[in-house]
Amino acid sequence: MTSIAGQSWVEGANDADGDFSLANLPMGVVAGEGRGLRIGVRIGAFIVDCRVLVEAGFLAQLDEPIRSALTGDSLNAFMSLGRGAWRKARAEMTRLLGAECAELRDHPQRKSIMLPEWGMSVRLPCTIGDYSDFYASLNHATNVGSMFRPDNPLLPNWKHMPIGYHGRASSIVATGTPIRRPSGQTVSNDAGPPTFGPTKLLDYELEVGALIGTGNALGEPITVDCALENVFGLVLLNDWSARDLQKWEYQPLGPFLAKNFASTLSGWVVSVDALEPYRVPLPARPTGDPEPLAYLRAANDVLFDVHLEVSIASSAMRSAGTPATRISRGNFKDMYWTIAQMIAHHTSSGCNLRPGDLLASGTVSGASPDSRGCLLERTWRGSEPITLGDGTERKFLQDGDEVIMRAWCERDGLPRIGFGACRGIITPAR
Ligand code: CA
């Protein structure tokens, strides 16, 4: 009997439409089955408990710091070891889980090492020390800018640097965590006065996040040409946003309480190595656009061909078993600024990034209306409501709505790899 290259002996790993093939092997942190927090590697319908794997004697040929980091309860220590260590661990996991290897498959402790995913809950993959959010989609920035400044949608700085702000790490939550509708100050006319109460314009933002692996020392910028080497992997991020709070507070210092109540992260970190086949060269800039300054320019810079999708299910739809309604479909390759440019710009002042820091792309919107990555754009400020599968209309999110984001890469001749879901249900304001 011959095995097929790239196939695994693990149930569900070879499904053509699955997210978690042998080519993916994303890492995360899980809990359940009477175990505390464990670093896990996802494959098919199973999660490898890395601590039990190491304790059973596997990965013995890897350096002690790698094995030790994998027995921890968050990925930070492993992330700090750098790309060489990540690659060694990944190569050994690929070998152990490949169709031709029986070492783990036939091991007496296999059932204790390989846990069915349905029994486990996914947690945040690492302690996120700092979180910055960019605004790197030209379509998104132009759409939103044109709503508020029809004559001047893009400010003069936008095409010269990836615009961003420093976000809030304490309220980043794992997929599946309920999201309480925030309250705050809103106004009925631009000059005020404000009233305090639950947001009426609750929105999601579809984003891709880069989790920093090694980072840099204070005062030592990361250059754009090697910036991706510092990225441990990518995740999906929902940057929940209260548009009415945002409108009243955002000048002069930018988003504050409109964004700090919650951001949801998908659970499985897809490595830059797994994404390698899905890199696409950064295209030339459109005629008339300025070339980036030298510190933002690299001949090897890339975007990632990642399909993105947002769906919503109301509470009535979930009760009736109605599938979630797809709201938008886009692609991460439509960004104007790359992850490497975001990292180079972020650190160009000397600011240090640390293992586990999160840099998010900003809302990913394509050129077509059905690829717009938030309701503000998708319903054009509520003027073009969308209809859900239960017949109700949405301009913005209602209590009980579940927002489900998905991301995956696929191309003929290549194994599909996916990110899993990034989910959250809105609960009523306190
Ligand atoms: Ca955002």
Side-chain angles (χ1 to χ4, degrees):
M1 202 167 125
T2 54
S3 300
I4 305 164
Q7 298 262 300
S8 168
W9 51 265
V10 180
E11 182 190 334
N14 306 322
D15 294 355
D17 58 351
D19 276 351
F20 304 112
S21 59
L22 185 65
N24 192 354
L25 301 183
M27 299 183 76
V29 168
V30 295
E33 299 288 315
R35 304 171 192 219
L37 297 172
R38 297 296 172 88
I39 292 174
V41 173
R42 179 71 192 264
I43 177 156
F46 287 82
I47 295 164
V48 180
D49 181 329
C50 289
R51 180 159 148 192
V52 182
L53 184 77
V54 168
E55 287 171 354
F58 288 98
L59 312 183
Q61 69 278 48
L62 299 185
D63 302 338
E64 163 55 23
I66 302 178
R67 287 205 308 278
S68 171
L70 288 172
T71 62
D73 59 7
S74 92
L75 278 165
N76 296 76
F78 183 65
M79 294 163 111
S80 72
L81 297 177
R83 200 171 190 191
W86 312 335
R87 283 183 160 171
K88 282 182 194 166
R90 178 176 165 77
E92 181 57 3
M93 294 299 299
T94 303
R95 189 185 72 80
L96 286 172
L97 297 166
E100 291 172 26
C101 182
E103 289 169 38
L104 177 53
R105 187 192 69 201
D106 297 342
H107 194 273
Q109 281 177 266
R110 177 179 133 190
K111 285 197 169 162
S112 180
I113 296 169
M114 305 282 297
L115 306 168
E117 61 85 20
W118 50 262
M120 307 298 289
S121 77
V122 173
R123 306 299 174 85
L124 286 179
C126 56
T127 301
I128 299 168
D130 276 302
Y131 158 47
S132 301
D133 194 19
F134 285 88
Y135 191 51
S137 157
L138 177 60
N139 296 300
H140 174 68
T142 306
N143 285 338
V144 173
S146 68
M147 290 178 202
F148 298 100
R149 297 177 302 275
D151 302 330
N152 180 29
L154 280 188
L155 294 173
N157 54 15
W158 199 91
K159 287 183 175 173
H160 293 282
M161 62 180 168
I163 297 293
Y165 69 97
H166 289 119
R168 186 78 197 162
S170 67
S171 53
I172 298 175
V173 296
T175 178
T177 306
I179 303 299
R180 186 177 294 283
R181 178 179 296 273
S183 291
Q185 286 196 17
T186 60
V187 292
S188 48
N189 75 59
D190 289 351
T195 56
F196 187 90
T199 175
K200 295 187 180 73
L201 306 182
L202 185 55
D203 201 355
Y204 61 79
E205 289 188 341
L206 167 67
E207 307 197 13
V208 174
L211 285 166
I212 298 299
T214 35
N216 58 308
L218 185 63
E220 294 178 18
I222 297 173
T223 57
V224 65
D225 54 333
C226 61
L228 270 184
E229 301 287 317
N230 286 274
V231 176
F232 180 68
L234 303 189
V235 288
L236 271 171
L237 179 103
N238 182 344
D239 180 23
W240 304 96
S241 299
R243 301 300 183 193
D244 39 2
L245 276 63
Q246 187 177 354
K247 182 169 179 256
W248 172 236
E249 76 174 8
Y250 88 101
Q251 296 192 87
L253 286 185
F256 191 37
L257 308 190
K259 305 271 189 180
N260 79 353
F261 56 95
S263 308
T264 303
L265 217 62
S266 60
W268 297 108
V269 187
V270 178
S271 69
V272 173
D273 284 326
L275 291 164
E276 179 90 39
Y278 296 101
R279 293 172 176 219
V280 290
L282 182 61
R285 288 199 158 183
T287 309
D289 281 9
E291 281 305 311
L293 294 176
Y295 79 101
L296 294 173
R297 209 162 54 218
N300 64 351
D301 206 356
V302 291
L303 293 161
F304 289 93
D305 181 7
V306 182
H307 298 274
L308 302 165
E309 189 175 283
V310 180
S311 306
I312 296 178
S314 66
S315 124
M317 289 165 71
R318 290 195 303 284
S319 303
T322 308
T325 304
R326 192 171 72 209
I327 305 299
S328 70
R329 244 187 149 159
N331 195 301
F332 192 45
K333 72 180 179 196
D334 290 337
M335 301 306 279
Y336 190 88
W337 294 103
T338 67
I339 292 170
Q341 289 171 324
M342 292 178 217
I343 292 171
H345 184 62
H346 199 297
T347 63
S348 63
S349 63
C351 175
N352 51 329
L353 295 173
R354 295 175 295 188
D357 281 2
L358 174 66
L359 302 190
S361 63
T363 306
V364 183
S365 291
S368 64
D370 70 352
S371 65
R372 294 173 181 159
C374 62
L375 285 174
L376 178 70
E377 286 172 86
R378 192 70 187 84
T379 71
W380 209 256
R381 285 175 105 173
S383 65
E384 301 166 14
I386 45 173
T387 305
L388 299 185
D390 62 1
T392 59
E393 284 194 339
R394 286 295 179 281
K395 298 173 177 174
F396 290 93
L397 297 170
Q398 294 185 6
D399 292 347
D401 285 353
E402 180 174 25
V403 177
I404 305 147
M405 298 177 172
R406 294 186 180 281
W408 69 95
C409 306
E410 61 185 352
R411 199 180 297 155
D412 281 348
L414 288 178
R416 178 188 149 110
I417 61 175
F419 286 59
C422 177
R423 301 171 172 269
I425 297 177
I426 306 300
T427 61
R430 193 178 287 282

